[in-house]
Amino acid sequence: MVDIATDVVLRCEGLRKTYGDLVAVDGVGFHIAPGETYGLLGPNGAGKTTSISMIAGLLERDAGEVTVAGKPLTTRSTDAKRVVGLVPQDIAIYPDLTARENLLFFGRLYGMAKVELKERAAEVLEIVGLTDRADDRAEEFSGGMKRRLNIGIGLLHRPLLLILDEPTVGVDPQSRNAILESVERLSVEGMAVLYTTHYMEEAERLCDRVAIIDSGKIVAEGTRRELVELVGQHDRVRLTATGDLKAAAEAACAIDGVKGADVIDGGIDFLADRAGDRLIEILTKVGGSGVTVSSVRVDEPNLEAVFLHLTGKALRD
């Protein structure tokens, strides 16, 4: 059996996969703790799906190691795979079965007891927002509803690690939001989640840590704030104000962490590190210079800007 008494649910090191002269994955490694959502962020073709296929034991790796809850996982593993839930890009459901019947079928494959399975299927339908469509055939579902059912199948056996490969591709905005809300609840409940996406806003919303992957390599890893600071990006504070703007800008620039200021028509633009932590001090300095502030806006650099800085191309290139 798998030992779940560990501070790390997933650990992978040095993953490599080649197809002839093409190096699809080159030295990928990271770890995920219980209750953590970890994002692999990169454009299509960056190596995300190949990486998770090796991690899930679906694809033989040329090099590297994967452990789940302290146990090695390979294509031939059994115990380690039992605590992994995989939600692939390609929807894997039976269209002629109802949502409930799909869950019961896959639950039997997991070896779940009948009473437990019935109760868990009802819980999962609630989690993915399909309770009111439980007895409708999956072929009648929208693309987004099919993806939500796909996620439900991955959750059914209460895995320690849930792997989600681009789960919102091609879905409508309502279903996309429902999927993201479901994922947010999972980390709160203590599940480790590996989430691959090329949507920057999803990574920013869901992920505790993000690895930026490009051309098969992880080029940076950390929280959103750590990644922003890694590439020297700064927050921008825009004040709409009247009065002696030049004097106010000079006074606020004396604050530690304020990197510069531009007086613009009707206000001041500041560049600062962790602007939210310094906002009160900035406003106090500006107000002490005889300036009246009518509005404040703080803009933080996003992961799109970080990706562009690190790779020299836009995220969706």
Side-chain angles (χ1 to χ4, degrees):
M1 297 296 292
V2 171
D3 177 14
I4 62 173
T6 177
D7 293 331
V8 176
V9 175
L10 170 69
R11 186 183 301 279
C12 57
E13 298 177 347
L15 297 184
R16 181 177 173 85
K17 184 67 180 177
T18 61
Y19 297 97
D21 294 333
L22 174 65
V23 181
V25 174
D26 189 6
V28 164
F30 54 85
H31 68 275
I32 309 176
E36 182 179 29
T37 298
Y38 186 94
L40 278 181
L41 176 66
N44 293 327
K48 302 188 300 294
T49 296
T50 302
S51 295
I52 67 168
S53 295
M54 290 189 286
I55 290 168
L58 300 179
L59 180 66
E60 289 281 1
R61 51 188 181 262
D62 297 337
E65 301 291 334
V66 177
T67 59
V68 177
K71 295 292 184 180
L73 190 151
T74 69
T75 55
R76 296 167 296 282
S77 298
T78 54
D79 283 355
K81 285 184 178 180
R82 288 194 180 102
V83 295
V84 177
L86 174 63
V87 181
Q89 276 192 48
D90 295 328
I91 295 173
I93 60 177
Y94 287 96
D96 55 338
L97 298 181
T98 68
R100 192 189 313 276
E101 287 169 344
N102 265 284
L103 292 172
L104 295 177
F105 173 78
F106 282 100
R108 287 193 290 271
L109 293 182
Y110 288 132
M112 298 176 68
K114 188 174 181 179
V115 174
E116 176 197 10
L117 176 55
K118 184 177 179 180
E119 294 176 351
R120 181 57 178 166
E123 291 175 2
V124 166
L125 287 166
E126 181 69 27
I127 290 170
V128 298
L130 290 176
T131 299
D132 60 339
R133 301 294 301 273
D135 298 312
D136 294 341
R137 292 192 179 197
E139 64 187 359
E140 302 170 4
F141 288 178
S142 67
M145 292 171 66
K146 290 176 181 177
R147 287 205 174 272
R148 284 151 60 189
L149 178 57
N150 217 32
I151 291 173
I153 292 168
L155 291 173
L156 195 58
H157 60 304
R158 294 185 176 88
L160 297 178
L161 171 68
L162 181 67
I163 302 173
L164 296 160
D165 189 12
E166 303 271 10
T168 65
V169 170
V171 305
D172 59 275
Q174 183 178 0
S175 287
R176 184 186 187 203
N177 190 60
I179 289 170
L180 298 181
E181 288 179 348
S182 296
V183 176
E184 286 173 325
R185 287 197 295 269
L186 298 178
S187 61
V188 171
E189 294 171 3
M191 187 176 296
V193 178
L194 173 56
Y195 191 97
T196 80
T197 184
H198 63 272
Y199 296 126
M200 170 271 297
E201 62 273 18
E202 291 184 4
E204 292 192 322
R205 173 174 171 177
L206 296 176
C207 300
D208 301 296
R209 290 185 298 131
V210 173
I212 293 178
I213 185 170
D214 185 45
S215 300
K217 295 182 178 181
I218 290 180
V219 295
E221 180 195 59
T223 65
R224 187 199 63 81
R225 172 58 66 179
E226 287 170 345
L227 290 171
V228 165
E229 293 179 349
L230 176 68
V231 299
Q233 298 285 324
H234 303 295
D235 297 344
R236 183 178 297 274
V237 180
R238 169 160 290 189
L239 306 182
T240 303
T242 57
D244 190 346
L245 301 182
K246 184 177 179 180
E250 291 175 353
C253 281
I255 298 171
D256 183 41
V258 174
K259 302 301 183 181
D262 290 320
V263 176
I264 58 175
D265 186 25
I268 311 171
D269 268 357
F270 292 100
L271 289 178
D273 294 331
R274 298 183 179 270
D277 297 339
R278 295 175 169 83
L279 188 56
I280 292 176
E281 191 175 0
I282 290 172
L283 292 174
T284 300
K285 284 283 190 181
V286 168
S289 301
V291 165
T292 300
V293 176
S294 57
S295 70
V296 179
R297 191 179 77 199
V298 178
D299 295 321
E300 298 181 350
N302 59 32
L303 293 177
E304 186 88 37
V306 174
F307 189 89
L308 179 62
H309 182 97
L310 290 171
T311 67
K313 57 189 176 184
L315 186 55
R316 291 179 178 83
D317 283 354

